[in-house]
Amino acid sequence: MQTRTVSDSRRCVKTVVSRRKPGAWHGVEKPLIIGDAMVAQERRRRPPRLFRQLATLGLTSFGGSPAYLQTLVDDNEGLTSAQYLEGLSLVYCLPGATFSNLGVYVGQLLAGPGGAASAFLLLVLPGALTIAVLSALFLGTALPPALVAGLRAAGAATVGLAFVSCLQVVGRARGSRGAPLSGVLAFLLAGPLGLGLVPALLLAGGFSVWANRPRGRG
Amino acid sequence: MADLHAIWELLLLFLRLGLTSFGGSLAAMPEIQRAVVQQHAWLTPTDFVAAYAIAQVAPGPSLLVSIPVGYGVAGPLGALVATLAFFLPSTLLAWSISHWWHRLHDAVWIITFRRAMAPVAAGLLAAGVLALGRAAIVDGLGAALAIVTAVFLLRTRVPAAVLITGAGVLGAVGTSLQL
């Protein structure tokens, strides 16, 4: 009995080829789809590293930009850049905090419901506890200048991280029709022109969906 | 004992904001300020600015402003209620849609959405980084730290957490020495 395992990004297929009865399948391999079990096995391997990365992000992601989660992208064994972009596109269409929602998406993708719950807690709890302590100590009074300066400097440094992450995302988002125009349009509407996310999403997204609509053959 | 009516109002306010705030803190903050300062007069404008500042200097989503606002209105219970009301329903919605999304991965309209929205998401992300930069960089030192961090990340393998922590220590020590 020979067992061969084939896996791709979407499903895991285990193929069994019997050598005891040649010709039993007339040269056709009998596929045994055991996707759920193998996906679960894949997920068990990922969490320790994923959770370490998420915990680091939870402690350092000042401002909560979803760009920080770009640091999780590892095209070889973890989150691919295409999956990151897909998640980013999706969470911009959902209400709530884009940072934690994207974390939930990534956690669900890589490690199932437990991964989604862990991602939310790891990304939100450190900041929540910090803010709770600061609120209890300093709300209604002035924060110590050294503390403010330290946190502000750390916050400024994270802008550098967000900028680099954003550069990497922009570099990978050029594969569709009209991509430069729709990307620049979204940036201008939501950024310098200050129209907000919803109008930018509707206008730039509407244009991009129209440009990339399925077209009939011939 | 915390004012139960205020806690109920907090719950309703942040529940509504959590389920209607597309665009993160920049979209939600004016509405929070209007409700908390003008409509209910729970916080003075000065207290609201302090609450906003506390949320900005900590890591994580800036919509965690729900904690100092809730705390200012009704103490620890207010902070807990406002935060759970904001994050729990929208997170559960994001989780359930993510779960369903992965299962429909090969549908034609999802393939179209994926292809079409990637550049739009990148543009929106760039706009968000611009807004983050405007909020977080308030002086020359901040600009210098952001540039140095970006250069180190692009040219070296120094972990981002080390750079960010180092910047924080530098800022705190520098201010202490000036005082």
Side-chain angles (χ1 to χ4, degrees):
Chain A
M1 179 76 77
Q2 182 187 41
T3 301
R4 187 155 59 91
T5 302
V6 181
S7 64
D8 61 31
S9 61
R10 294 304 312 150
R11 62 204 283 256
C12 295
V13 179
K14 192 175 187 180
T15 306
V16 179
V17 182
S18 171
R19 284 187 173 166
R20 290 177 192 161
K21 295 179 181 177
W25 294 97
H26 306 286
V28 178
E29 294 178 345
K30 180 188 178 186
L32 294 177
I33 298 175
I34 54 170
D36 288 348
M38 295 203 55
V39 168
Q41 191 180 3
E42 284 283 308
R43 284 171 176 167
R44 275 196 293 274
R45 289 189 201 130
R46 287 174 179 154
R49 186 169 159 224
L50 173 68
F51 293 163
R52 274 198 306 275
Q53 291 172 313
L54 288 170
T56 306
L57 283 174
L59 289 166
T60 58
S61 55
F62 292 84
S65 169
Y68 299 133
L69 288 159
Q70 158 71 23
T71 57
L72 297 175
V73 169
D74 179 346
D75 286 327
N76 295 319
E77 55 177 314
L79 182 71
T80 67
S81 51
Q83 288 169 330
Y84 170 82
L85 272 170
E86 185 175 348
L88 191 64
S89 307
L90 181 62
V91 298
Y92 272 131
C93 299
L94 299 176
T98 48
F99 176 66
S100 54
N101 282 351
L102 184 56
V104 167
Y105 176 90
V106 170
Q108 169 69 29
L109 179 69
L110 296 183
S118 304
F120 175 76
L121 292 175
L122 289 169
L123 291 175
V124 172
L125 263 188
L129 291 174
T130 307
I131 293 172
V133 169
L134 291 175
S135 300
L137 290 176
F138 301 115
L139 201 60
T141 63
L143 289 167
L147 178 66
V148 171
L151 292 172
R152 195 165 278 163
T158 58
V159 176
L161 170 61
F163 176 73
V164 171
S165 301
C166 187
L167 278 184
Q168 291 166 340
V169 174
V170 169
R172 288 166 171 160
R174 294 181 295 190
S176 58
R177 283 191 287 265
L181 184 55
S182 50
V184 169
L185 188 62
F187 170 73
L188 289 176
L189 292 173
L193 295 178
L195 289 188
L197 182 128
V198 175
L201 201 57
L202 289 175
L203 289 170
F207 165 74
S208 193
V209 168
W210 175 80
N212 289 279
R213 67 193 182 281
R215 296 172 197 205
R217 294 179 184 174
Chain B
M1 182 167 170
D3 181 353
L4 287 179
H5 182 258
I7 288 176
W8 175 248
E9 291 288 333
L10 264 179
L11 176 74
L12 293 180
L13 170 66
F14 280 94
L15 202 59
R16 177 168 61 81
L17 286 170
L19 290 171
T20 57
S21 62
F22 293 83
S25 62
L26 292 177
M29 208 59 76
E31 177 60 14
I32 296 174
Q33 183 178 19
R34 189 194 64 76
V36 170
V37 177
Q38 294 167 16
Q39 184 182 346
H40 295 289
W42 284 327
L43 298 180
T44 65
T46 309
D47 285 342
F48 185 81
V49 170
Y52 179 74
I54 287 173
Q56 292 305 304
V57 296
S62 44
L63 283 163
L64 284 171
V65 72
S66 58
I67 294 175
V69 166
Y71 192 92
V73 173
L77 186 59
L80 186 67
V81 166
T83 305
L84 288 179
F86 185 88
F87 280 93
L88 208 55
S90 57
T91 301
L92 287 174
L93 181 67
W95 172 74
S96 53
I97 288 180
S98 300
H99 183 69
W100 164 79
W101 187 263
H102 298 317
R103 288 173 179 267
L104 294 174
H105 195 267
D106 296 326
V108 172
W109 64 272
I110 286 192
I111 294 171
T112 303
F113 175 89
R114 189 186 311 143
R115 190 183 301 145
M117 293 306 289
V120 177
L124 294 175
L125 191 71
V129 172
L130 179 68
L132 181 68
R134 283 175 174 166
I137 298 175
V138 294
D139 52 20
L141 175 66
L145 287 171
I147 292 168
V148 168
T149 304
V151 170
F152 265 82
L153 288 172
L154 288 169
R155 297 290 174 102
T156 71
R157 290 184 160 272
V158 180
V162 172
L163 294 169
I164 292 164
T165 308
V169 171
L170 191 69
V173 171
T175 302
S176 299
L177 291 176
Q178 282 179 353
L179 292 175

